[in-house]
């Protein structure tokens, strides 16, 4: 092939074995291990021990019902004839077969298995057409779509060629080695010799081997300059998919560029050139980089070229940095009115003003100190200023970090600079939430503003489409609250955020927005909490306005053994169902409504009193553990009650009192979780 | 190798491989793709092989002559091969050797780079070509132009002449390049960069350019709407006005006269025109019986 994009290689290699296995299975061709290999210029799939032929077929096949298949005289009907033709037997060979559903006609299909060599060419052509690419293209005057143009094909079964066509290319046994180091035709004898033959032609076709060789050479190169490689998994994967035989070169850049923030240097090197950084023994950055290249016959020339590119990139970054530093962050605030946040929700400037207004409201509700709120307010004001800096325009992934770096260099208080850097956290699943209180507060406010605004204009994520990353914003908001163990009424906070959109035409009112968004956050919470889905669902169903509170309840409920939870679920479900019948009125001791009290009834009444005392009104982790243990202990008593006592007796006062007990129990426990959801089906 | 020798060598190289050497378009374009020798000829079934230098103008890239390798006007060497030949990558690598760069001495790689022109309604997949880490060319297989599927697919090669020359002459700024033995690139272009940057960023009359955009758009439409007969539509003049409208938009963009929201609307207006002219061009060539197709099949016999 012509060079596939780096990311296509790994995806195709991952998908290939299953594609081939499925086809072999359909054809009843047994086989051993299947593995895929690939570089930017070739993809291969090798199945070991493929059977020489399909097994012969000898099976009984059921046809139409006997009443249709045979006429009054017992002769095969037209339907029977066509069935016979279909399975390749004479009509006389059909026979009756009794089944549960009555008599059917049946026949014996005997087929000789076809040789693999005749079946496989079509299989390989199909496999080629099924390789998934994120984006496919056509080329020349063909109609085939593939990741990049296909130039040669090999099909081998043992030592013989499997002839097929794909994308107007005919298969054979000829491959080509490294584009420059071994460009001549290379005959492949069989699959077993494939990897070694290509290795000799400067192609490491096994991605694992290629990666290993590359990583070793990177380590050696770093060692050769008394440095340590700065590891970067993305760069490893990417570079391994950009070359067929990795060579590593050490390059240099001028020391004066080390004055730039480290992240800038590494990101410029990585983003534009796919270079690795190197540290010295004390952890400082060296004015060097490691480049993975595909050809290195004249390393000095290649290094010279790469150095020149790196110098230009660094000079650009230095220019951006110096220019950016000339403008105090606060002076950039008016420029934010020129960047669109969303066409209906206004500019980033509008957003920042909403955030600044919301910070003290939410901060005070969270009980944060005036000092923290002041730092958060100032941080929120400056949080987005780096979006209009030259550097962030060039390298958007540096947003936040650049603002903090510029702020610090310009004399901003460190706690305010930290807000600028950290309020984007968590950026993804692997990134921790902001830890500082001011940073976390601004992180919350930023996300709340985005979510409330977007939901209010009906921009809900649908399926895979979530262009404004609302799911990530929601998860970030929840993770921040949980990390800080902050208690908050989300609905109230949403109303406060909604109030910030004064003068903006929104589609939903505050309550409808908060309802929609609350539902969305409930779903996300299920993914954020680590307890089993059923436990989280039960706790969320009780109430989810305060996510940290849900987490505490879910943790307490999750500590109770699953079978105990399920039993409690069943019995509480039953209680909740009949509780609906309960009339108003106080629950009375059983002895007050009947002459003779069944011991079970007395026990459940007493147990309920103990339970009520244990439940209390507390909301700490310990409170919840105590309460849920009490509920778990109460459940078997209630179960016994259902065994021994018939609730719906004719004696009305007695019946009502029993119903009231059910209602009281249900109400007392439903603050913690909806136990119905724990019942098994 | 002098700057002009690179051009001469590439022209000869591609002429020897059957390319028509056409001339730059005589109106301001943002890239060689805007030349009708690429944009229109990439449409429809007729074969087409051409090469040319295109002085491309991107007003927003102006840096008053201060930046070593960013200019508002720069020369691209453009090759369009339709259908894209099977050995197109090899041909390209041979052309590098022709200008004195033996791939075996370097690290030459094809790195994914997809191309899209929102104004032309065109997109393609391909690569940027790296020479020792330096992007020296763009390589694109056109998938759509003017919103129409390209069939057959054209292969487009765009050499960044300035970068290649800087590399070959071992200089750090484009202005130090030697155009020939007597005149430097700086002599030719440095003053021009300052003047054009000043004009585009500071002096351009926004009202006049807005008016020009509207007028060019109206004229482009009128020339296509004047008749339903595909042979009576004035396709080439219409395309000319579209190119002029696109340039007016680019100047307004550099002048900061177009807001973010308006920007999308203007792009859409140009794209709509590009689609209409592509449609008219296809109909016209069909009405003419796709002359180059007939010629090619005759040649094959």
């Amino acid at each position: 092939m012509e060079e596939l994009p780096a990311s296509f290689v790994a995806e195709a290699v991952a998908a290939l074995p299953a594609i081939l296995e499925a086809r072999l299975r359909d054809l009843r061709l047994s086989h051993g291990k299947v593995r895929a290999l690939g570089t930017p210029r070739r993809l291969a799939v090798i199945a070991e021990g493929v059977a020489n032929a399909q097994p012969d077929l000898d099976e009984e096949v059921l046809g139409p019902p006997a009443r249709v298949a045979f006429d009054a005289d017992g002769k095969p009907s037209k339907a029977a004839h066509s069935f016979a033709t279909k399975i390749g037997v004479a009509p006389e060979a059909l026979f009756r077969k009794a089944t549960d559903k009555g008599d059917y006609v049946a026949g014996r299909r005997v087929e000789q298995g076809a040789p693999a060599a005749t079946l496989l060419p079509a299989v390989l052509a199909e496999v080629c057409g099924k390789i998934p690419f994120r984006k496919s293209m056509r080329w020349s005057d063909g109609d085939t779509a593939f990741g990049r143009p296909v130039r040669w094909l090999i099909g081998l079964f043992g030592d013989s060629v499997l002839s097929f066509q794909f994308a107007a290319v005919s298969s054979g046994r000829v491959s080509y080695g490294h584009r420059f180091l071994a460009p001549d035709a290379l005959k492949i004898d069989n699959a077993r010799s494939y990897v070694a033959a290509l290795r000799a032609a400067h192609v490491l076709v096994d991605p694992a081997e290629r990666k290993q060789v590359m990583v070793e050479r990177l380590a050696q190169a770093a060692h050769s300059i008394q440095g340590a490689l700065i590891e970067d998994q993305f760069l490893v994967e990417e570079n391994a998919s950009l070359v067929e035989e990795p060579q590593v070169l050490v390059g240099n850049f001028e020391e004066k560029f080390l004055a730039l923030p480290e992240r800038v240097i590494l990101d410029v090197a990585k983003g534009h050139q796919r270079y690795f950084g190197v540290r010295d023994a004390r952890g400082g950055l060296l004015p060097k980089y490691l480049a993975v290249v595909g050809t290195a016959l004249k390393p000095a020339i290649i290094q010279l070229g790469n150095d020149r590119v790196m110098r230009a990139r660094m000079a650009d970054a230095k220019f951006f940095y110096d220019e950016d530093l000339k403008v105090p962050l606060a002076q950039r605030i008016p420029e934010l009115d020129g960047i669109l946040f969303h066409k209906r929700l206004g500019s980033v400037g509008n957003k920042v003003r909403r955030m600044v207004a919301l910070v003290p409201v939410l901060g005070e509700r969270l009980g944060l100190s005036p000092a923290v709120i002041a730092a958060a307010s100032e941080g929120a004001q400056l949080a987005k200023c780096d979006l209009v800096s030259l550097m962030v325009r060039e390298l958007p992934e540096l947003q936040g970090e650049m603002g903090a770096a510029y702020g610090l260099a310009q004399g901003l208080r460190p706690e305010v600079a930290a807000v600028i850097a950290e309020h984007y956290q968590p950026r993804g699943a692997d990134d921790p939430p902001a830890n500082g209180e001011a940073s976390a507060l601004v992180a919350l406010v930023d996300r709340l503003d985005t979510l409330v605004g977007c939901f209010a204009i009906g921009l809900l994520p649908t399926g895979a489409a979530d262009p404004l990353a609302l799911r990530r914003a929601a998860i970030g908001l929840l993770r921040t609250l949980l990390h800080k163990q902050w208690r908050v009424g989300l609905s109230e906070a949403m109303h406060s955020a909604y109030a910030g959109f004064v003068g903006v035409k929104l589609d939903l009112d505050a309550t409808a927005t908060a309802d929609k968004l609350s539902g969305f956050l409930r779903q996300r919470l299920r993914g954020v909490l680590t307890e089993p889905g059923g436990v989280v669902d039960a706790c969320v169903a009780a109430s989810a306005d305060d996510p940290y509170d849900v987490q505490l309840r879910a943790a307490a409920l999750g500590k109770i053994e699953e079978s105990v939870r399920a039993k409690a679920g069943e019995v509480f479900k039953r209680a909740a169902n009949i509780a609906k019948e309960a009339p108003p009125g106080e629950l009375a001791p059983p002895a007050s409504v009947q002459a003779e009290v069944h011991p079970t009834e007395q026990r459940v009444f007493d147990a309920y009193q103990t339970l009520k005392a244990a439940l209390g009104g507390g909301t700490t982790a310990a409170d919840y553990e105590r309460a849920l243990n009490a509920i778990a202990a109460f459940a078997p008593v209630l179960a016994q009650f259902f065994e021994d006592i018939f609730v719906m007796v004719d004696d009305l006062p007695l019946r009502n009192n029993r119903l009231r007990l059910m209602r009281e129990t249900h109400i007392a426990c439903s603050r913690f979780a909806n136990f119905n959801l724990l019942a098994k089906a | 190798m002098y700057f002009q020798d690179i051009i001469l060598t590439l022209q000869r190289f591609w002429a020897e491989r059957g390319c028509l050497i056409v001339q730059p378009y005589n109106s301001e374009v943002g890239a060689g793709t805007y030349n009708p020798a690429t944009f229109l000829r990439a449409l429809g079934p007729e074969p087409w092989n051409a090469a040319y230098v295109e002085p491309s103008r991107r007003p927003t890239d102006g840096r008053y002559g201060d930046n070593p390798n960013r200019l508002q006007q720069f020369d691209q060497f453009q090759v369009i091969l339709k259908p894209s030949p099977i050995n197109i990558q090899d041909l390209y690598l041979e052309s590098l050797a022709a200008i004195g760069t033996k791939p075996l001495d370097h690290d030459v790689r094809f790195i994914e780079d997809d191309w899209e022109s929102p104004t032309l309604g065109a997109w393609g997949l391909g690569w940027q070509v790296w020479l020792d880490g330096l992007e020296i060319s763009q390589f694109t297989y056109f998938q759509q132009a003017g919103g129409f599927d390209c069939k057959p697919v054209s292969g487009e090669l765009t050499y960044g002449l300035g970068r290649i020359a800087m590399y070959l002459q071992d200089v750090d700024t484009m202005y130090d390049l030697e155009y020939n033995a007597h005149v430097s690139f700086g002599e030719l272009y440095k003053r021009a960069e300052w003047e054009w940057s000043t004009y585009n960023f500071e002096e351009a009359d926004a009202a006049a350019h807005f008016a020009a955009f509207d007028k060019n758009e109206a004229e482009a439409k009128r020339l296509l709407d004047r008749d339903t007969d595909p042979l009576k539509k004035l396709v080439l003049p219409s395309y000319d006005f579209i190119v002029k409208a696109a340039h007016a938009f680019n100047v307004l963009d550099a002048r900061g006269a177009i807001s973010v929201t308006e920007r999308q609307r203007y792009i859409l207006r140009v794209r709509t025109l590009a689609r209409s002219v592509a449609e008219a061009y296809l109909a016209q060539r069909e009405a003419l019986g796709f002359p180059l197709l007939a010629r090619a099949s005759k040649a094959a016999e």
Side-chain angles (χ1 to χ4, degrees), chain A residues 6 10 98 120 145 163 182 193 249 318 329 374 401 407 439 530 569 575 662 664:
Chain A
L120 287 173
S163 290
S193 65
L249 293 181
K318 182 83 171 46
L329 274 189
E401 275 189 69
S439 303
T530 50
M662 298 301 112
E664 295 301 307

Side-chain angles (χ1 to χ4, degrees), chain A residues 147-233:
Chain A
R148 283 293 182 271
V150 177
R151 291 304 179 216
W152 70 87
L153 280 174
I154 297 181
L156 290 172
F157 182 53
D159 291 331
S160 25
V161 168
L162 295 169
S163 290
F164 66 99
Q165 282 223 326
F166 178 73
V169 178
S170 299
S171 69
R173 62 164 78 244
V174 173
S175 182
Y176 297 87
H178 188 284
R179 185 184 274 291
F180 302 113
L181 299 175
D184 297 334
L186 178 68
K187 273 202 176 137
I188 305 297
D189 296 330
N190 52 48
R192 267 178 229 288
S193 65
Y194 179 67
V195 174
L198 281 171
R199 197 182 285 124
H202 297 281
V203 174
L204 303 183
V205 71
D206 180 350
E209 179 186 348
R210 202 162 61 247
K211 228 176 285 179
Q212 195 197 335
V213 167
M214 186 182 82
V215 169
E216 281 168 14
R217 289 183 176 169
L218 283 165
Q220 279 164 17
H223 187 71
S224 76
I225 48 170
Q226 286 84 49
L229 178 75
I230 298 178
E231 300 202 359
D232 187 310
Q233 201 49 40

Side-chain angles (χ1 to χ4, degrees), chain B residues 41 46-47 284-297:
Chain B
R41 296 287 182 174
E46 296 170 276
Q284 184 195 71
R285 296 300 293 182
E286 189 174 9
L288 290 170
F290 295 126
L292 289 176
L293 204 56
R295 203 185 150 99
S297 59

Side-chain angles (χ1 to χ4, degrees), chain B residues 232-283:
Chain B
K232 292 194 173 144
K233 288 177 190 280
L234 302 181
V235 172
L236 294 173
S238 174
Y239 185 66
D240 220 278
F241 286 107
I242 294 169
V243 168
K244 288 182 203 302
H247 181 66
F249 162 75
N250 288 339
V251 173
L252 287 165
D253 197 23
R255 189 79 176 84
I258 298 185
S259 73
V260 181
T261 29
E262 279 177 321
R263 205 168 176 276
Q264 283 311 311
R265 281 205 1 252
Y266 275 95
I267 290 173
L268 184 64
R269 281 166 75 180
V270 181
R271 183 158 72 231
T272 308
L273 293 174
R275 189 185 164 84
S276 321
V277 82
E279 193 176 10
Y281 174 79
L282 277 168

Side-chain angles (χ1 to χ4, degrees), chain A residues 2-3 138 140 179 308, chain B residues 89 127 141 143 153 170:
Chain A
E2 299 182 1
E3 283 78 350
R138 294 171 296 110
S140 203
R179 185 184 274 291
R308 200 196 323 250
Chain B
Q89 282 183 309
W127 310 276
Y141 288 100
Q143 303 294 300
V153 168
D170 195 17

Side-chain angles (χ1 to χ4, degrees), chain B residues 121-182:
Chain B
W123 66 276
L125 302 184
W127 310 276
Q128 39 177 281
V129 182
W130 279 13
L131 176 78
D132 302 338
L134 177 72
E135 181 194 340
I136 53 165
S137 299
Q138 286 278 338
F139 203 128
T140 306
Y141 288 100
F142 278 180
Q143 303 294 300
Q144 276 201 334
F148 290 90
D149 281 346
C150 295
K151 179 141 180 56
V153 168
S154 301
E156 181 198 55
L157 307 174
T158 305
Y159 299 75
L161 289 175
R163 288 201 172 180
I164 292 173
M166 279 168 76
Y167 166 80
L168 289 174
Q169 295 185 18
D170 195 17
V171 298
D172 288 331
T173 107
M174 245 184 244
Y175 300 109
D176 289 342
L177 287 173
E178 295 179 303
Y179 209 99
N180 69 2
H182 313 291

Side-chain angles (χ1 to χ4, degrees), chain A residues 2-3 5 135 137-138 140-141 143 148 151 179-180 272-273 292-295 298 301-302 305-306 308, chain B residues 84 86 89 103-110 112 114 126-127 130 132-133 141 143 150-153 170:
Chain A
E2 299 182 1
E3 283 78 350
K135 242 185 201 175
M137 57 168 282
R138 294 171 296 110
S140 203
D141 46 11
D143 287 313
R148 283 293 182 271
R151 291 304 179 216
R179 185 184 274 291
F180 302 113
H272 291 299
Q273 302 297 137
V292 177
V293 300
T295 314
K298 305 252 172 94
I301 294 182
I302 299 168
N306 279 278
R308 200 196 323 250
Chain B
S84 62
I86 280 175
Q89 282 183 309
L104 208 51
D105 292 346
H106 298 273
D107 176 45
V108 176
R109 281 188 283 154
F110 295 85
E112 172 188 19
D114 300 341
W127 310 276
W130 279 13
D132 302 338
Y141 288 100
Q143 303 294 300
C150 295
K151 179 141 180 56
V153 168
D170 195 17

Side-chain angles (χ1 to χ4, degrees), chain A residues 130-142:
Chain A
K130 281 195 170 158
I131 303 172
F133 298 107
R134 271 183 295 109
K135 242 185 201 175
S136 293
M137 57 168 282
R138 294 171 296 110
W139 60 96
S140 203
D141 46 11

